[in-house]
Amino acid sequence: MASIKKGDLVQVIAGARESRGGDRGKTGRVIEVLTEQDRVIVEGINLVTKHIKVGQTNRGTRTGGIETHEAPIHVSNVALVDPESKKPTRVRSEVKTVEVNGASIPQKVRVATKSGKEIKSND
């Protein structure tokens, strides 16, 4: 679950193809990670229509109607996009030593399996 974080670029690898009305093959940024349910919310992916009851605010403007929202998608159905090849890849972690104030500190980094490039967090 730690392989996908908020702000990562991911691609949908399961479900119906885009030609059949699905989301497989689409890419988007992760908006939110729901760790308890093992799900992620991806921008522009798994859109659902939500009917909201019509009401009024204090100013008198009308609220409600039909809105579209991103619904959560299971983390196993998305794959991180490789920063080099722009294709989906698995993620592994490596320990890298970083120099801070003259002291070397071990730090865990995420690495794309296909290209070996480090994946930067966009948080």
Side-chain angles (χ1 to χ4, degrees):
M1 189 63 189
S3 62
I4 295 178
K5 296 182 179 181
K6 180 180 173 183
D8 284 344
L9 186 67
V10 294
Q11 182 174 348
V12 180
I13 57 171
R17 287 196 170 89
E18 205 171 341
S19 61
R20 292 174 103 15
D23 287 332
R24 191 193 323 171
K26 290 184 181 177
T27 60
R29 293 245 173 245
V30 175
I31 301 170
E32 188 179 353
V33 178
L34 308 169
T35 52
E36 302 84 36
Q37 294 106 20
D38 285 341
R39 293 180 177 270
V40 292
I41 298 176
V42 184
E43 188 177 24
I45 305 293
N46 199 19
L47 293 173
V48 294
T49 56
K50 187 174 181 182
H51 296 259
I52 297 170
K53 190 174 181 181
V54 176
Q56 280 189 333
T57 62
N58 295 338
R59 295 182 182 176
T61 57
R62 294 179 64 82
T63 59
I66 300 173
E67 295 179 357
T68 56
H69 293 284
E70 289 95 356
I73 184 170
H74 198 270
V75 72
S76 66
N77 295 334
V78 296
L80 206 66
V81 173
D82 194 328
E84 190 174 272
S85 67
K86 307 292 185 224
K87 290 185 178 178
T89 182
R90 292 190 302 270
V91 180
R92 70 173 192 263
S93 59
E94 290 181 356
V95 177
K96 185 172 89 173
T97 56
V98 180
E99 290 286 330
V100 178
N101 297 334
S104 60
I105 300 170
Q107 191 176 32
K108 202 179 211 181
V109 294
R110 297 182 302 157
V111 177
T113 306
K114 286 188 179 178
S115 66
K117 295 284 182 186
E118 184 179 334
I119 298 166
K120 307 275 191 237
S121 292
N122 296 354
D123 253 357

